[in-house]
Amino acid sequence: MTDSTTPRVLVLSGEPPPGLEPLDGRAELRLVTEDRLAAELPAADALLVWEFATDALPAAWPRAGGPRWVHTASAGVDRLMFRALVDSDTVLTNARGVFEQPIAEYVAGQILALAKDFAGTYARQRDHVWQHRVTERVGGTRAVVVGGGPIGRATARTLGALGLRVALVGRTARADDPEVGRVHAFAELDALLPEADWVVSAAPLTEQTRDMFDARAFGLMKRGARFLNVGRGPLVVEEDLLEALRAGRLGGAALDVFREEPLPADSPLWEAPGLLVSPHMSADTTTWLDDLAAVFVDNFGRWRAGCPLRNVVDKKLGYVPYAAPADGVLR
């Protein structure tokens, strides 16, 4: 966008997001809630989906007009993959760059928590019980990280720094990847699962990945392996995971995302043996809101100048495709 008019930018949020002050005077920012979205969208030039857990956009999307650019303050874009937006000329971008390292640190922390039995230590401290135990080493164990995007890559690098032997699985195999050496194709996953001590789900949600971790996948894993999901809830058939934990086939699990959120109080997952539950917080740090705003502000400047945008989603694939750095410098 390079014209001289002040663009009208809708911000889907109940309260003004922090960090958008640099746009004062550069854009007409209009805060909008879900009930006003349908009325405001036709005249909007751009839309910032700050409340990214919304399901209101498909019904509110205009038949004519509407934003030329939609940005979501999230990594996942599956809620925005409705037909009218996918088929439109509207450019969709996401918040890639904000969540990768925090999620990688969460995965590393949960692996250490499971291996070192921190839950058992905390329980014994609560009960004033002194009981010496031995725990596991993570160095030298094998991890399979499913998802070849930035989150999976950051996770693979972080686990590698802890001494784990990591296989990264993505949509496309790469024999000489500049970041991780080798990327395995999804078709190789079945052969990798039986050797894994840790399986990390970090894939985007698409029609190809939905329900990919089911009874069959858990059955391929070695007895005692642990499973972690930081991708999207519907990647996992939760009933099958629950059965694998109850049967002792899996040695434990950690879930940060669920098919239904918030997780209902009566969900059997709360009581599943060896399962660590966290409320979709693996990416959320003390600076995350400012970081999310900074990505949008930077992209707004690019959009106004007619420059290529960061994090453009391939709407046919349902995510931002990975591209190796053109200069060969990894950041």
Side-chain angles (χ1 to χ4, degrees), residues 83-271:
R83 181 53 54 191
L85 178 55
V86 170
D87 290 344
S88 73
D89 293 330
T90 299
V91 177
L92 175 63
T93 57
N94 74 353
R96 188 172 77 169
V98 172
F99 303 117
E100 289 84 336
Q101 192 57 36
I103 292 178
E105 293 168 4
Y106 167 94
V107 171
Q110 292 287 47
I111 285 177
L112 289 171
L114 288 164
K116 304 304 180 183
D117 188 29
F118 288 159
T121 297
Y122 301 149
R124 287 166 176 80
Q125 179 179 349
R126 181 192 63 226
D127 296 336
H128 299 188
V129 173
W130 179 278
Q131 182 182 13
H132 178 267
R133 303 167 349 268
V134 297
T135 61
E136 304 171 49
R137 294 183 59 176
V138 298
T141 61
R142 295 177 180 269
V144 172
V145 178
V146 183
I151 292 173
R153 289 167 176 274
T155 300
R157 292 193 301 269
T158 301
L159 296 184
L162 289 174
L164 282 79
R165 292 176 287 171
V166 183
L168 182 64
V169 178
R171 183 175 63 92
T172 304
R174 294 184 177 90
D176 190 18
D177 187 90
E179 286 186 279
V180 296
R182 179 182 179 186
V183 178
H184 299 266
F186 276 111
E188 301 175 70
L189 181 59
D190 284 2
L192 294 170
L193 288 178
E195 301 300 320
D197 301 293
W198 311 92
V199 177
V200 181
S201 165
L205 179 61
T206 67
E207 289 307 308
Q208 290 71 41
T209 61
R210 184 180 296 274
D211 297 332
M212 69 181 302
F213 291 104
D214 56 7
R216 176 183 172 280
F218 295 131
L220 289 173
M221 296 179 196
K222 68 162 66 172
R223 192 169 189 87
R226 270 66 68 92
F227 174 78
L228 301 90
N229 187 20
V230 291
R232 304 295 285 172
L235 297 175
V236 179
V237 180
E238 292 172 347
E239 295 83 359
D240 294 350
L241 173 62
L242 186 61
E243 177 57 32
L245 289 168
R246 285 173 171 170
R249 177 150 194 69
L250 294 182
L255 300 181
D256 186 55
V257 288
F258 300 85
R259 299 182 84 95
E260 181 180 356
E261 297 183 4
L263 186 66
D266 61 353
S267 170
L269 292 172
W270 290 106
E271 306 294 335

